[in-house]
Amino acid sequence: MSEAGGGLGCGSPVPQRGPWSLVAATAALCLVSATSLWTAGAAPMSREEKQKLGNQVLEMFDHAYGNYMEHAYPADELMPLTCRGRVRGQEPSRGDVDDALGKFSLTLIDSLDTLVVLNKTKEFEDAVKKVLRDVNLDNDVVVSVFETNIRVLGGLLGGHSLAIMLKEKGEYMQWYNDELLQMAKQLGYKLLPAFNTTSGLPYPRINLKFGIRKPEARTGTETDTCTACAGTLILEFAALSRFTGATIFEEYARKALDFLWEKRQRSSNLVGVTINIHTGDWVRKDSGVGAGIDSYYEYLLKAYVLLGDDSFLERFNTHYDAIMRYISQPPLLLDVHIHKPMLNARTWMDALLAFFPGLQVLKGDIRPAIETHEMLYQVIKKHNFLPEAFTTDFRVHWAQHPLRPEFAESTYFLYKATGDPYYLEVGKTLIENLNKYARVPCGFAAMKDVRTGSHEDRMDSFFLAEMFKYLYLLFADKEDIIFDIEDYIFTTEAHLLPLWLSTTNQRISKKNTTSEYTELDDSNFDWTCPNTQILFPNDPLYAQSIREPLKNVVDKSCPRGIIRVREESFRSGAKPPLRARDFMATNPEHLEILKKMGVSLIHLKDGRVQLVQHAIQAASSIDAEDGLRFMQEMIELSSQQQKEQQLPPRAVQIVSHPFFGRVVLTAGPAQFGLDLSKHKETRGFVASSKPYNGCSELTNPEAVMGKIALIQRGQCMFAEKARNIQNAGAIGGIVIVFVRKVAWSLFLSYTDPETENEAQLSSENDSQSQSAEQIISISQAVDLVDQESPEESSLDSHSDSSPADPDSAASISPAEQTSNPTEDQEPTSLDGECTDLDNQPQEQSETEEDSNPNVSWGKKTQPIDSILADWNEDIEAFEMMEKDEL
């Protein structure tokens, strides 16, 4: 490792460096000389088997990359279950996850330097040409500053670094003239407006075309950002400055890091998860090494390696001392409160902390790295993958696994540091699990639930950027790689930056601000590489002795016997666990099961139902596990309801006398039943259900048979209401609630629209369906809901050509408006959010109704041009209201 001590004997002074406590930087390690100490701890893997596994990694990469290029490119990511590209705006929004997508062929850019590491130089040259030809960085899209920096800017710089290396070798890239660097510089300037804050911390999002705080930008109103989001910029921005000579990028990134350092909690030397970018106040005051903070610590240490600035190392060591004092509870790493660091902030860990053992290897603290890594490996052996979050007793907390590479990263670093073949076996397990459980015909699919093995239509770009890179390097010998990996440092996205940047374009004035704020313990700083005889006592079984006590730590806390006990109980006639989709809040048996599982049901004032689980209140450990699974399923159901907000709003159109289609109620769609976007309108007469909440068997099935049932929101789940009205013979349902003049509607459809001549759900855009863009007033909706019976209906006049049904007819259809303002929803609420119709005018419909109390069906003969003119007026008024709301 040229500039960071490569080639130095362990124990040798490090020239032109400040305090040196690294045993390794990226792949260049002083600990390589300790390899022979470990061979007795595990059977060595033959070169032939290593080559076989390396070739297997190459085939897996080809499968993922090839399917992306064939089925997804130039889209940002591949959707491996449906074999198509994920284009932002064309798929239902996934929330913050989509902020990584900027319509700039994300996966291709993120994979550039992986192609070179895997010796695919011809493919790399073709990929660079595609990036230069096809990628546009001037898109009108709001992206995450953090994700765009580590994936796109890092990908371009990593690609440039290896392009100039290949050009120097003389065989490939002879035409290359820093084009990727120019694209990186263009992107860097597009990200700079995000730093326009009083603190110097960047906004979390930016519009690539319009920047920040312009009306067109649709961003710039955020006040908070995560610590990692603001503190994971220095490597890419400093590299961009060193490559181009434009110092502004490094200056901005340093200012953000300086501010975070100043705002640390002085008594504990910890930082929180979320900070206000304007005031510097901590918004979330819990602290750990996982999501929200992780790469901040990583970049402090690696910034010292790349840039040679001692202050970064001093800051890292200060934080690391606090981490080991408060957060590290071997083998666990638990979040604490920054002001009360002896108090745990939560009882579960997230998967992102799996990077930390690798960082500890770079720090030179091997023992806790081995311990934490082994604990994580035991969790993986139980669930095949590392769940997105798991509890301190190693039960699944969040069951997803988006094919994260952090554990593979730490495995690679531990093997390079120790040479212990045990870690090759760990890597082999990762390969086998990926092929067995995640591989699909069009790539590799993320795990939706590690317990059931279900998939999610998702293959993130970091899977190609990091996973295959670390796995290939794990099994590769030095001669298998066409360049010296030890001349480079890995970014948090595993992009490669050359270490010679530390002596290039050093125009930044470096002020050591660390000592102004803290007294440093000299024991934190070693001026030489650690002596391996101290790190590893003369015991070839040293690492094995650390791992051995942890071999059964997961099974002891979460015994596999539970599964066998449950299977035996099923065979003996016991009922299977209650599933969230089957739960009915009015079923006494279900409520009793909830109680056994430690789950409490709370009825909120606004009609929603909330669930809370306390595992200690469960009747047994098996019931507690069932309760945790039930809660996870319920959260998934709730998140599915949230997704409906990302779809275009739907509409209920009243087509009978005296409205004739002019009154429309905007609403949100159901997550089950007929797909309203693929069918024409469903039309039918409406009838009020009894009981009105629809939470039990209807007492008036004859009234709702073949009609659209009106139901009140609350008291039970939407699915329960749907079952009851379906059993009564309704063709669909409208769930209505009124809170602060807000109307929500949910649509359910059961019959084939072709068989109902009066009912349809429509997405037509012609002039006859434009009325679906109108909106019903709240008072009008109340009039409609209050019709308890045909005899009480005020909409009971019909011509001889109409069916003599006293109920009014309503048409349910998709609205054409794309805006859908909503209210926030609690994560465990069982009723989903629907469209917010605040500030809608009530006077219009009241005037229409009052001025024509005796209007008859004869009104239907009014000229169509007059009706259309009225419709257009209403549409314009609706559009104005939508603008006001937005």
Side-chain angles (χ1 to χ4, degrees):
M1 182 176 71
S2 57
E3 293 300 325
L8 297 171
C10 287
S12 304
V14 178
Q16 299 179 346
R17 274 291 185 272
W20 180 264
S21 66
L22 297 176
V23 298
T26 67
L29 308 166
C30 276
L31 295 181
V32 171
S33 62
T35 301
S36 61
L37 296 177
W38 303 97
T39 54
M45 183 177 287
S46 67
R47 175 168 172 78
E48 291 74 20
E49 186 173 3
K50 288 176 63 178
Q51 286 181 332
K52 180 181 177 181
L53 290 168
N55 290 333
Q56 197 170 353
V57 174
L58 292 176
E59 186 278 329
M60 293 166 66
F61 174 82
D62 289 340
H63 180 65
Y65 181 76
N67 275 286
Y68 165 74
M69 295 304 297
E70 179 180 353
H71 298 293
Y73 181 78
D76 283 317
E77 290 180 344
L78 170 69
M79 299 174 68
L81 299 184
T82 52
C83 294
R84 69 179 192 272
R86 183 180 296 280
V87 179
R88 194 160 176 190
Q90 295 182 14
E91 302 292 338
S93 172
R94 301 174 298 170
D96 292 347
V97 176
D98 282 342
D99 287 344
L101 311 181
K103 299 182 179 179
F104 35 37
S105 301
L106 175 63
T107 298
L108 181 63
I109 293 177
D110 223 359
S111 304
L112 287 177
D113 51 8
T114 303
L115 290 166
V116 182
V117 172
L118 273 55
N119 298 336
K120 298 180 179 295
T121 48
K122 181 63 172 66
E123 291 88 339
F124 171 73
E125 189 161 3
D126 293 339
V128 172
K129 291 178 180 178
K130 283 185 172 66
V131 169
L132 300 179
R133 182 190 67 206
D134 300 336
V135 172
N136 177 24
L137 298 175
D138 195 40
N139 300 312
D140 179 13
V141 59
V142 176
V143 297
S144 162
V145 173
F146 167 75
E147 297 289 357
T148 304
N149 171 66
I150 65 172
R151 300 202 205 187
V152 185
L153 183 59
L156 292 171
L157 292 172
H160 170 70
S161 299
L162 298 188
I164 59 177
M165 177 274 297
L166 290 173
K167 184 176 181 179
E168 290 176 359
K169 286 182 175 289
E171 184 177 355
Y172 294 97
M173 304 298 295
Q174 296 306 298
W175 54 270
Y176 183 70
N177 193 29
D178 294 349
E179 288 87 352
L180 291 177
L181 180 60
Q182 296 308 312
M183 288 186 68
K185 187 175 181 180
Q186 176 192 359
L187 180 60
Y189 278 118
K190 285 185 172 293
L191 296 179
L192 284 184
F195 292 83
N196 188 21
T197 61
T198 55
S199 66
L201 300 178
Y203 282 96
R205 299 174 185 85
I206 193 168
N207 187 298
L208 289 175
K209 188 176 183 69
F210 298 108
I212 293 285
R213 305 194 69 172
K214 295 179 181 178
E216 306 94 331
R218 306 185 304 282
T219 190
T221 59
E222 302 94 337
T223 59
D224 307 332
T225 192
C226 70
T227 299
C229 298
T232 311
L233 300 160
I234 186 64
L235 291 188
E236 291 84 1
F237 272 51
L240 184 57
S241 288
R242 302 297 176 95
F243 272 129
T244 64
T247 61
I248 187 171
F249 304 109
E250 186 173 345
E251 290 171 352
Y252 275 57
R254 281 179 177 267
K255 182 179 179 183
L257 272 181
D258 290 345
F259 190 84
L260 289 173
W261 171 252
E262 292 176 11
K263 291 299 179 179
R264 76 193 186 286
Q265 212 291 320
R266 300 302 173 85
S267 62
S268 66
N269 282 322
L270 295 172
V271 292
V273 173
T274 309
I275 191 171
N276 187 295
I277 59 177
H278 302 297
T279 66
D281 295 332
W282 291 109
V283 179
R284 278 188 54 188
K285 300 178 182 179
D286 47 318
S287 183
V289 296
I293 302 179
D294 49 1
S295 49
Y296 163 68
Y297 296 133
E298 177 186 2
Y299 269 38
L300 284 177
L301 181 54
K302 291 184 176 180
Y304 165 67
V305 176
L306 182 66
L307 306 177
D309 187 339
D310 297 348
S311 66
F312 291 132
L313 179 61
E314 294 170 10
R315 295 179 190 182
F316 172 79
N317 276 306
T318 302
H319 284 313
Y320 186 78
D321 179 71
I323 291 169
M324 299 310 292
R325 187 187 306 270
Y326 303 119
I327 296 172
S328 177
Q329 302 175 32
L332 309 180
L333 293 163
L334 294 177
D335 285 17
V336 300
H337 295 278
I338 59 175
H339 294 97
K340 297 179 180 179
M342 302 305 293
L343 181 64
N344 289 338
R346 61 189 189 191
T347 58
W348 49 271
M349 297 165 281
D350 65 73
L352 285 171
L353 62 77
F355 91 102
F356 198 67
L359 189 64
Q360 290 179 305
V361 170
L362 302 187
K363 168 72 172 75
D365 202 357
I366 300 297
R367 184 184 185 94
I370 293 173
E371 290 175 334
T372 300
H373 180 275
E374 182 62 24
M375 176 270 293
L376 295 171
Y377 184 44
Q378 295 303 318
V379 175
I380 289 174
K381 288 203 292 187
K382 179 175 179 59
H383 299 292
N384 301 318
F385 297 98
L386 196 62
E388 197 72 339
F390 54 94
T391 62
T392 54
D393 56 354
F394 309 111
R395 301 177 189 274
V396 173
H397 186 66
W398 296 336
Q400 305 91 335
H401 174 74
L403 306 182
R404 293 199 184 277
E406 285 76 17
F407 181 78
E409 174 186 359
S410 290
T411 303
Y412 165 68
F413 281 118
L414 271 169
Y415 176 68
K416 295 300 290 186
T418 66
D420 190 342
Y422 176 83
Y423 297 108
L424 296 178
E425 296 296 332
V426 173
K428 181 179 178 180
T429 300
L430 297 182
I431 291 174
E432 291 172 348
N433 288 350
L434 285 171
N435 278 320
K436 185 175 181 179
Y437 301 108
R439 186 168 182 141
V440 294
C442 279
F444 291 84
M447 305 305 296
K448 185 177 182 180
D449 192 320
V450 299
R451 298 163 301 189
T452 64
S454 58
H455 290 124
E456 189 176 355
D457 201 3
R458 169 183 180 184
M459 188 179 80
D460 291 84
S461 68
F462 55 68
F463 182 59
L464 284 84
E466 301 184 67
M467 180 69 81
F468 295 115
K469 195 175 292 176
Y470 288 125
L471 288 178
Y472 182 76
L473 290 172
L474 177 63
F475 298 105
D477 291 326
K478 191 169 185 178
E479 57 269 23
D480 296 328
I481 307 171
I482 62 174
F483 64 98
D484 191 350
I485 196 75
E486 297 183 1
D487 289 337
Y488 297 83
I489 187 168
F490 288 114
T491 68
T492 193
E493 191 78 1
H495 293 306
L496 295 169
L497 299 176
L499 291 166
W500 53 258
L501 289 174
S502 61
T503 58
T504 304
N505 290 323
Q506 296 188 59
R507 301 180 186 177
I508 307 298
S509 59
K510 294 178 288 188
K511 176 185 177 183
N512 189 336
T513 58
T514 302
S515 299
E516 297 177 12
Y517 302 109
T518 183
E519 285 189 25
L520 298 174
D521 183 355
D522 288 341
S523 64
N524 277 333
F525 308 109
D526 299 319
W527 289 83
T528 63
C529 277
N531 188 320
T532 56
Q533 299 302 314
I534 299 174
L535 278 173
F536 312 113
N538 292 321
D539 179 4
L541 301 179
Y542 175 68
Q544 183 179 349
S545 68
I546 297 175
R547 292 192 299 262
E548 195 63 35
L550 302 171
K551 287 294 185 183
N552 300 314
V553 65
V554 173
D555 283 339
K556 285 180 179 177
S557 300
C558 189
R560 295 174 182 267
I562 290 178
I563 299 174
R564 290 193 294 270
V565 169
R566 183 180 288 116
E567 289 174 347
E568 292 173 1
S569 66
F570 291 168
R571 286 194 292 268
S572 64
K575 292 184 178 180
L578 177 64
R579 307 305 297 268
R581 63 177 180 267
D582 301 322
F583 172 68
M584 300 179 70
T586 56
N587 187 320
E589 183 180 355
H590 289 183
L591 296 178
E592 185 62 31
I593 294 174
L594 288 190
K595 186 177 180 181
K596 283 185 63 178
M597 296 190 299
V599 179
S600 304
L601 186 144
I602 304 171
H603 290 278
L604 303 179
K605 292 181 178 179
D606 59 5
R608 290 178 299 160
V609 181
Q610 192 174 59
L611 298 176
V612 179
Q613 191 210 19
H614 299 284
I616 59 175
Q617 296 179 4
S620 69
S621 60
I622 296 178
D623 291 317
E625 184 171 311
D626 290 341
L628 181 60
R629 183 181 294 109
F630 177 85
M631 294 295 289
Q632 289 293 330
E633 292 176 355
M634 197 61 71
I635 291 172
E636 287 186 15
L637 286 176
S638 179
S639 66
Q640 288 175 3
Q641 293 168 0
Q642 283 182 316
K643 290 179 182 177
E644 73 183 39
Q645 301 163 22
Q646 311 300 334
L647 300 172
R650 303 296 191 258
V652 176
Q653 179 184 9
I654 304 179
V655 297
S656 57
H657 168 76
F659 307 104
F660 308 118
R662 293 187 55 200
V663 178
V664 176
L665 176 64
T666 303
Q671 291 297 315
F672 47 86
L674 190 67
D675 187 344
L676 308 189
S677 65
K678 297 180 180 178
H679 297 80
K680 294 186 177 182
E681 64 179 19
T682 293
R683 181 176 304 190
F685 293 102
V686 295
S688 209
S689 63
K690 292 184 179 180
Y692 191 28
N693 58 29
C695 290
S696 60
E697 182 179 353
L698 299 194
T699 59
N700 62 335
E702 68 287 347
V704 300
M705 174 72 71
K707 300 176 184 177
I708 299 173
L710 297 179
I711 327 162
Q712 185 182 40
R713 184 183 176 185
Q715 307 301 315
C716 63
M717 295 180 62
F718 286 153
E720 189 173 345
K721 300 175 189 290
R723 290 193 200 98
N724 290 327
I725 64 173
Q726 183 182 22
N727 292 338
I731 62 171
I734 303 175
V735 178
I736 302 179
V737 66
F738 298 94
V739 180
R740 294 181 288 105
K741 296 185 179 179
V742 179
W744 288 280
S745 296
L746 175 105
F747 312 108
L748 319 168
S749 183
Y750 311 106
T751 60
D752 185 345
E754 301 287 337
T755 64
E756 294 291 340
N757 60 354
E758 294 230 65
Q760 278 224 141
L761 301 183
S762 163
S763 58
E764 291 182 316
N765 295 323
D766 58 19
S767 60
Q768 308 234 346
S769 65
Q770 287 182 5
S771 61
E773 295 179 342
Q774 301 176 69
I775 191 166
I776 191 170
S777 72
I778 300 305
S779 61
Q780 204 73 278
V782 173
D783 291 338
L784 182 62
V785 171
D786 284 343
Q787 297 172 54
E788 292 295 328
S789 67
E791 292 73 22
E792 297 172 2
S793 174
S794 62
L795 309 178
D796 56 358
S797 299
H798 298 275
S799 68
D800 53 2
S801 60
S802 302
D805 193 304
D807 293 326
S808 65
S811 168
I812 309 176
S813 59
E816 299 300 322
Q817 301 297 329
T818 57
S819 58
N820 190 13
T822 58
E823 290 188 338
D824 293 334
Q825 172 180 330
E826 295 185 32
T828 55
S829 173
L830 303 190
D831 285 340
E833 297 173 280
C834 298
T835 306
D836 189 340
L837 304 182
D838 268 334
N839 305 321
Q840 306 302 338
Q842 299 182 12
E843 293 79 3
Q844 176 186 342
S845 59
E846 290 173 352
T847 303
E848 290 174 354
E849 191 171 11
D850 292 343
S851 62
N852 297 286
N854 300 313
V855 68
S856 69
W857 277 99
K859 182 98 178 235
K860 293 173 71 174
T861 61
Q862 75 179 83
I864 187 65
D865 291 343
S866 173
I867 296 176
L868 290 176
D870 291 340
W871 285 354
N872 289 330
E873 290 179 7
D874 292 337
I875 292 170
E876 291 173 2
F878 176 74
E879 290 175 344
M880 289 299 298
M881 289 185 292
E882 288 290 285
K883 290 179 181 178
D884 292 342
E885 282 191 299
L886 291 174

